[in-house]
mmCIF file of all heavy atoms in Angstrom:
data_model
loop_
_atom_site.group_PDB
_atom_site.id
_atom_site.type_symbol
_atom_site.label_atom_id
_atom_site.label_comp_id
_atom_site.label_asym_id
_atom_site.label_seq_id
_atom_site.Cartn_x
_atom_site.Cartn_y
_atom_site.Cartn_z
ATOM 1 N N ALA A 64 189.071 91.645 70.489
ATOM 2 C CA ALA A 64 189.351 92.412 69.273
ATOM 3 C C ALA A 64 188.067 92.947 68.657
ATOM 4 O O ALA A 64 188.001 94.096 68.195
ATOM 5 C CB ALA A 64 190.095 91.534 68.273
ATOM 6 N N GLU A 65 187.019 92.136 68.689
ATOM 7 C CA GLU A 65 185.726 92.574 68.161
ATOM 8 C C GLU A 65 185.165 93.722 68.992
ATOM 9 O O GLU A 65 184.619 94.693 68.451
ATOM 10 C CB GLU A 65 184.754 91.395 68.171
ATOM 11 C CG GLU A 65 183.424 91.663 67.491
ATOM 12 C CD GLU A 65 183.504 91.581 65.979
ATOM 13 O OE1 GLU A 65 184.552 91.161 65.455
ATOM 14 O OE2 GLU A 65 182.509 91.947 65.327
ATOM 15 N N ALA A 66 185.305 93.626 70.313
ATOM 16 C CA ALA A 66 184.745 94.649 71.190
ATOM 17 C C ALA A 66 185.485 95.971 71.060
ATOM 18 O O ALA A 66 184.858 97.043 71.017
ATOM 19 C CB ALA A 66 184.776 94.164 72.642
ATOM 20 N N PHE A 67 186.826 95.931 70.972
ATOM 21 C CA PHE A 67 187.607 97.172 70.970
ATOM 22 C C PHE A 67 187.769 97.746 69.565
ATOM 23 O O PHE A 67 187.745 98.978 69.398
ATOM 24 C CB PHE A 67 188.982 96.919 71.593
ATOM 25 C CG PHE A 67 188.975 96.917 73.090
ATOM 26 C CD1 PHE A 67 188.751 95.744 73.792
ATOM 27 C CD2 PHE A 67 189.158 98.094 73.792
ATOM 28 C CE1 PHE A 67 188.729 95.739 75.177
ATOM 29 C CE2 PHE A 67 189.138 98.102 75.182
ATOM 30 C CZ PHE A 67 188.927 96.915 75.870
ATOM 31 N N VAL A 68 187.954 96.900 68.575
ATOM 32 C CA VAL A 68 188.242 97.399 67.227
ATOM 33 C C VAL A 68 186.953 97.719 66.471
ATOM 34 O O VAL A 68 186.774 98.827 65.953
ATOM 35 C CB VAL A 68 189.087 96.377 66.443
ATOM 36 C CG1 VAL A 68 189.322 96.871 65.016
ATOM 37 C CG2 VAL A 68 190.412 96.135 67.137
ATOM 38 N N ARG A 69 186.054 96.758 66.397
ATOM 39 C CA ARG A 69 184.855 96.949 65.586
ATOM 40 C C ARG A 69 183.772 97.740 66.314
ATOM 41 O O ARG A 69 183.117 98.601 65.727
ATOM 42 C CB ARG A 69 184.292 95.594 65.168
ATOM 43 C CG ARG A 69 183.066 95.702 64.273
ATOM 44 C CD ARG A 69 182.615 94.345 63.782
ATOM 45 N NE ARG A 69 181.417 94.454 62.968
ATOM 46 C CZ ARG A 69 180.802 93.414 62.408
ATOM 47 N NH1 ARG A 69 181.292 92.191 62.559
ATOM 48 N NH2 ARG A 69 179.707 93.600 61.699
ATOM 49 N N ASN A 70 183.585 97.470 67.609
ATOM 50 C CA ASN A 70 182.500 98.110 68.352
ATOM 51 C C ASN A 70 182.932 99.336 69.148
ATOM 52 O O ASN A 70 182.095 100.014 69.741
ATOM 53 C CB ASN A 70 181.855 97.091 69.304
ATOM 54 C CG ASN A 70 181.121 95.995 68.564
ATOM 55 O OD1 ASN A 70 180.019 96.176 68.068
ATOM 56 N ND2 ASN A 70 181.753 94.826 68.486
ATOM 57 N N GLY A 71 184.229 99.610 69.187
ATOM 58 C CA GLY A 71 184.718 100.846 69.798
ATOM 59 C C GLY A 71 184.454 100.981 71.272
ATOM 60 O O GLY A 71 184.150 102.084 71.758
ATOM 61 N N ILE A 72 184.603 99.882 72.023
ATOM 62 C CA ILE A 72 184.337 99.973 73.458
ATOM 63 C C ILE A 72 185.367 100.836 74.178
ATOM 64 O O ILE A 72 185.102 101.384 75.244
ATOM 65 C CB ILE A 72 184.281 98.560 74.085
ATOM 66 C CG1 ILE A 72 183.681 98.641 75.490
ATOM 67 C CG2 ILE A 72 185.666 97.927 74.125
ATOM 68 C CD1 ILE A 72 183.487 97.302 76.143
ATOM 69 N N GLY A 73 186.554 100.973 73.591
ATOM 70 C CA GLY A 73 187.561 101.837 74.206
ATOM 71 C C GLY A 73 187.072 103.271 74.336
ATOM 72 O O GLY A 73 187.330 103.941 75.346
ATOM 73 N N HIS A 74 186.360 103.761 73.323
ATOM 74 C CA HIS A 74 185.802 105.120 73.387
ATOM 75 C C HIS A 74 184.735 105.218 74.467
ATOM 76 O O HIS A 74 184.679 106.213 75.207
ATOM 77 C CB HIS A 74 185.213 105.493 72.030
ATOM 78 C CG HIS A 74 184.571 106.843 71.998
ATOM 79 N ND1 HIS A 74 185.281 108.018 72.115
ATOM 80 C CD2 HIS A 74 183.259 107.208 71.880
ATOM 81 C CE1 HIS A 74 184.462 109.047 72.060
ATOM 82 N NE2 HIS A 74 183.227 108.584 71.912
ATOM 83 N N TYR A 75 183.904 104.194 74.590
ATOM 84 C CA TYR A 75 182.882 104.201 75.641
ATOM 85 C C TYR A 75 183.522 104.174 77.022
ATOM 86 O O TYR A 75 183.026 104.824 77.955
ATOM 87 C CB TYR A 75 181.955 102.994 75.474
ATOM 88 C CG TYR A 75 181.239 102.935 74.151
ATOM 89 C CD1 TYR A 75 181.056 101.723 73.485
ATOM 90 C CD2 TYR A 75 180.738 104.085 73.552
ATOM 91 C CE1 TYR A 75 180.402 101.663 72.270
ATOM 92 C CE2 TYR A 75 180.078 104.029 72.337
ATOM 93 C CZ TYR A 75 179.912 102.820 71.699
ATOM 94 O OH TYR A 75 179.262 102.754 70.484
ATOM 95 N N LEU A 76 184.613 103.423 77.161
ATOM 96 C CA LEU A 76 185.311 103.378 78.441
ATOM 97 C C LEU A 76 185.871 104.747 78.815
ATOM 98 O O LEU A 76 185.790 105.172 79.977
ATOM 99 C CB LEU A 76 186.436 102.342 78.389
ATOM 100 C CG LEU A 76 186.008 100.870 78.417
ATOM 101 C CD1 LEU A 76 187.203 99.967 78.124
ATOM 102 C CD2 LEU A 76 185.393 100.511 79.764
ATOM 103 N N LEU A 77 186.436 105.439 77.847
ATOM 104 C CA LEU A 77 186.962 106.780 78.118
ATOM 105 C C LEU A 77 185.842 107.739 78.522
ATOM 106 O O LEU A 77 186.020 108.568 79.430
ATOM 107 C CB LEU A 77 187.696 107.314 76.889
ATOM 108 C CG LEU A 77 189.015 106.619 76.531
ATOM 109 C CD1 LEU A 77 189.596 107.207 75.247
ATOM 110 C CD2 LEU A 77 190.016 106.756 77.670
ATOM 111 N N ASN A 78 184.701 107.632 77.859
ATOM 112 C CA ASN A 78 183.558 108.470 78.243
ATOM 113 C C ASN A 78 183.122 108.178 79.676
ATOM 114 O O ASN A 78 182.836 109.102 80.450
ATOM 115 C CB ASN A 78 182.387 108.223 77.287
ATOM 116 C CG ASN A 78 182.615 108.823 75.919
ATOM 117 O OD1 ASN A 78 183.460 109.705 75.745
ATOM 118 N ND2 ASN A 78 181.880 108.347 74.941
ATOM 119 N N SER A 79 183.082 106.895 80.031
ATOM 120 C CA SER A 79 182.681 106.526 81.389
ATOM 121 C C SER A 79 183.697 107.013 82.416
ATOM 122 O O SER A 79 183.322 107.473 83.501
ATOM 123 C CB SER A 79 182.516 105.003 81.490
ATOM 124 O OG SER A 79 181.383 104.558 80.782
ATOM 125 N N VAL A 80 184.988 106.904 82.092
ATOM 126 C CA VAL A 80 186.018 107.388 83.008
ATOM 127 C C VAL A 80 185.863 108.879 83.240
ATOM 128 O O VAL A 80 185.936 109.361 84.386
ATOM 129 C CB VAL A 80 187.420 107.056 82.453
ATOM 130 C CG1 VAL A 80 188.492 107.793 83.252
ATOM 131 C CG2 VAL A 80 187.671 105.563 82.502
ATOM 132 N N LEU A 81 185.634 109.626 82.174
ATOM 133 C CA LEU A 81 185.474 111.075 82.304
ATOM 134 C C LEU A 81 184.255 111.429 83.130
ATOM 135 O O LEU A 81 184.338 112.216 84.099
ATOM 136 C CB LEU A 81 185.378 111.707 80.915
ATOM 137 C CG LEU A 81 185.100 113.218 80.871
ATOM 138 C CD1 LEU A 81 186.230 113.989 81.539
ATOM 139 C CD2 LEU A 81 184.897 113.689 79.433
ATOM 140 N N VAL A 82 183.112 110.862 82.791
ATOM 141 C CA VAL A 82 181.867 111.206 83.484
ATOM 142 C C VAL A 82 181.925 110.768 84.942
ATOM 143 O O VAL A 82 181.576 111.534 85.844
ATOM 144 C CB VAL A 82 180.670 110.550 82.763
ATOM 145 C CG1 VAL A 82 179.394 110.712 83.594
ATOM 146 C CG2 VAL A 82 180.474 111.172 81.385
ATOM 147 N N ALA A 83 182.373 109.537 85.199
ATOM 148 C CA ALA A 83 182.405 109.029 86.570
ATOM 149 C C ALA A 83 183.434 109.770 87.418
ATOM 150 O O ALA A 83 183.182 110.060 88.592
ATOM 151 C CB ALA A 83 182.699 107.529 86.563
ATOM 152 N N SER A 84 184.585 110.099 86.843
ATOM 153 C CA SER A 84 185.630 110.787 87.614
ATOM 154 C C SER A 84 185.206 112.198 87.992
ATOM 155 O O SER A 84 185.343 112.614 89.156
ATOM 156 C CB SER A 84 186.933 110.816 86.813
ATOM 157 O OG SER A 84 187.397 109.515 86.542
ATOM 158 N N VAL A 85 184.698 112.951 87.022
ATOM 159 C CA VAL A 85 184.269 114.327 87.311
ATOM 160 C C VAL A 85 183.111 114.325 88.305
ATOM 161 O O VAL A 85 183.078 115.124 89.251
ATOM 162 C CB VAL A 85 183.885 115.056 86.012
ATOM 163 C CG1 VAL A 85 183.309 116.431 86.320
ATOM 164 C CG2 VAL A 85 185.099 115.181 85.094
ATOM 165 N N SER A 86 182.154 113.419 88.111
ATOM 166 C CA SER A 86 181.022 113.342 89.045
ATOM 167 C C SER A 86 181.493 113.007 90.451
ATOM 168 O O SER A 86 181.024 113.595 91.432
ATOM 169 C CB SER A 86 180.020 112.281 88.558
ATOM 170 O OG SER A 86 179.518 112.591 87.277
ATOM 171 N N THR A 87 182.436 112.082 90.566
ATOM 172 C CA THR A 87 182.928 111.675 91.879
ATOM 173 C C THR A 87 183.671 112.816 92.572
ATOM 174 O O THR A 87 183.485 113.056 93.774
ATOM 175 C CB THR A 87 183.849 110.452 91.742
ATOM 176 O OG1 THR A 87 183.126 109.374 91.126
ATOM 177 C CG2 THR A 87 184.359 110.003 93.104
ATOM 178 N N VAL A 88 184.504 113.535 91.828
ATOM 179 C CA VAL A 88 185.248 114.653 92.420
ATOM 180 C C VAL A 88 184.286 115.726 92.921
ATOM 181 O O VAL A 88 184.441 116.258 94.041
ATOM 182 C CB VAL A 88 186.244 115.236 91.398
ATOM 183 C CG1 VAL A 88 186.837 116.546 91.908
ATOM 184 C CG2 VAL A 88 187.361 114.233 91.107
ATOM 185 N N LEU A 89 183.284 116.062 92.127
ATOM 186 C CA LEU A 89 182.313 117.075 92.546
ATOM 187 C C LEU A 89 181.514 116.619 93.766
ATOM 188 O O LEU A 89 181.285 117.399 94.705
ATOM 189 C CB LEU A 89 181.371 117.406 91.388
ATOM 190 C CG LEU A 89 181.999 118.133 90.195
ATOM 191 C CD1 LEU A 89 180.986 118.289 89.069
ATOM 192 C CD2 LEU A 89 182.536 119.498 90.615
ATOM 193 N N VAL A 90 181.093 115.354 93.758
ATOM 194 C CA VAL A 90 180.323 114.837 94.896
ATOM 195 C C VAL A 90 181.173 114.836 96.158
ATOM 196 O O VAL A 90 180.693 115.217 97.237
ATOM 197 C CB VAL A 90 179.809 113.413 94.581
ATOM 198 C CG1 VAL A 90 179.286 112.737 95.847
ATOM 199 C CG2 VAL A 90 178.703 113.472 93.542
ATOM 200 N N LEU A 91 182.432 114.440 96.060
ATOM 201 C CA LEU A 91 183.288 114.411 97.241
ATOM 202 C C LEU A 91 183.529 115.811 97.794
ATOM 203 O O LEU A 91 183.505 116.023 99.016
ATOM 204 C CB LEU A 91 184.616 113.741 96.906
ATOM 205 C CG LEU A 91 184.575 112.230 96.659
ATOM 206 C CD1 LEU A 91 185.968 111.699 96.383
ATOM 207 C CD2 LEU A 91 183.956 111.508 97.839
ATOM 208 N N GLY A 92 183.784 116.768 96.912
ATOM 209 C CA GLY A 92 184.000 118.131 97.383
ATOM 210 C C GLY A 92 182.788 118.703 98.080
ATOM 211 O O GLY A 92 182.885 119.271 99.183
ATOM 212 N N LEU A 93 181.626 118.555 97.474
ATOM 213 C CA LEU A 93 180.402 119.100 98.061
ATOM 214 C C LEU A 93 179.995 118.351 99.328
ATOM 215 O O LEU A 93 179.589 118.960 100.323
ATOM 216 C CB LEU A 93 179.275 119.050 97.028
ATOM 217 C CG LEU A 93 179.457 119.933 95.778
ATOM 218 C CD1 LEU A 93 178.362 119.642 94.762
ATOM 219 C CD2 LEU A 93 179.448 121.409 96.157
#
Side-chain angles (χ1 to χ4, degrees):
E65 187 79 8
F67 279 90
V68 177
R69 182 175 178 180
N70 293 283
I72 193 176
H74 178 68
Y75 301 141
L76 287 170
L77 291 177
N78 287 341
S79 289
V80 169
L81 176 62
V82 171
S84 299
V85 174
S86 300
T87 301
V88 170
L89 292 175
V90 167
L91 289 182
L93 295 172

